[in-house]
Amino acid sequence: MSVQLPLHIGLRDSATFANFYPADNAQVLAQCQQCAQLEGERFIFIHGATGSGRSHLLQAACHAASESGQPVVYLPLSRREQFSVEMLEGLEHMGLLCIDDLDAIAGDAEWEEAIFHLYNRVRDGEARLIVAANNHPTALAVQLPDLQSRLLWGLVYKLQPLDDEQLTAALQLRAK
């Protein structure tokens, strides 16, 4: 069962593990697949340039977890103006929680504190948490030191960009 957010935030149907071309990102793909099955590492932080596949991986993890009957939430913080921080309450009870665009809340004290407390509640529960941003946790403009330390819990991966040959192969995969 997926949690439906009253925000018209949906998962792209095309964002699946099957059509993610990993190239040099096979390890992060494998970790996200394990996390979606509620196995392996409980905290994953993914960073990389725009268009590197961060959102695709988070949404693919949500699709996979949902298909196996787990409650999931995909939350793109770039759209946070559509909801309040109170929406984060209770999300630690999901099977999988994917927070995208963490950069969008850097410097916003209210959001930083809410994400900090969410990390702590997830740690104390059973949920898995995958977070994505443009930059490594230590390079984010996060003002709350305790949040920055939480962002380093678990695994941290940088998505490697595709070269021209890999990009062609990825486009062929999508075309199929």
Side-chain angles (χ1 to χ4, degrees):
M1 169 182 107
S2 295
V3 169
Q4 295 293 357
L5 301 177
L7 310 170
H8 306 295
I9 295 174
L11 301 175
R12 287 189 328 266
D13 290 338
S14 62
T16 66
F17 288 136
N19 67 12
F20 180 82
Y21 185 78
D24 298 327
N25 299 302
Q27 188 175 16
V28 68
L29 172 62
Q31 288 296 330
C32 287
Q33 288 172 318
Q34 281 188 340
C35 199
Q37 297 306 312
L38 306 186
E39 298 173 355
E41 187 60 49
R42 293 189 53 224
F43 295 94
I44 300 175
F45 189 100
I46 302 169
H47 64 100
T50 300
S52 62
R54 297 182 325 251
S55 297
H56 186 120
L57 280 174
L58 268 62
Q59 291 186 32
C62 286
H63 278 301
S66 182
E67 288 168 7
S68 67
Q70 298 299 323
V72 303
V73 169
Y74 171 75
L75 187 61
L77 292 178
S78 60
R79 298 175 65 184
R80 76 184 186 288
E81 69 280 351
Q82 298 178 19
F83 45 91
S84 68
V85 295
E86 287 78 23
M87 193 221 141
L88 298 177
E89 293 297 322
L91 294 184
E92 68 274 10
H93 301 295
M94 298 292 102
L96 178 65
L97 174 57
C98 292
I99 299 176
D100 207 351
D101 308 315
L102 188 73
D103 326 67
I105 61 110
D108 182 323
E110 182 181 29
W111 274 98
E112 285 188 14
E113 186 173 340
I115 296 291
F116 164 75
H117 290 300
L118 178 61
Y119 259 86
N120 290 334
R121 292 191 313 271
V122 168
R123 179 199 59 210
D124 295 339
E126 299 295 320
R128 298 289 195 272
L129 177 62
I130 306 175
V131 176
N134 287 335
N135 296 305
H136 189 278
T138 59
L140 292 173
V142 171
Q143 302 300 308
L144 185 62
D146 290 338
L147 173 58
Q148 195 164 61
S149 73
R150 298 308 185 270
L151 299 176
L152 293 168
W153 284 358
L155 302 174
V156 177
Y157 289 103
K158 178 179 182 183
L159 285 175
Q160 301 302 316
L162 301 179
D163 63 26
D164 289 342
E165 185 177 308
Q166 293 167 335
L167 188 56
T168 299
L171 291 171
Q172 290 172 339
L173 175 66
R174 290 269 176 97
K176 290 179 184 177

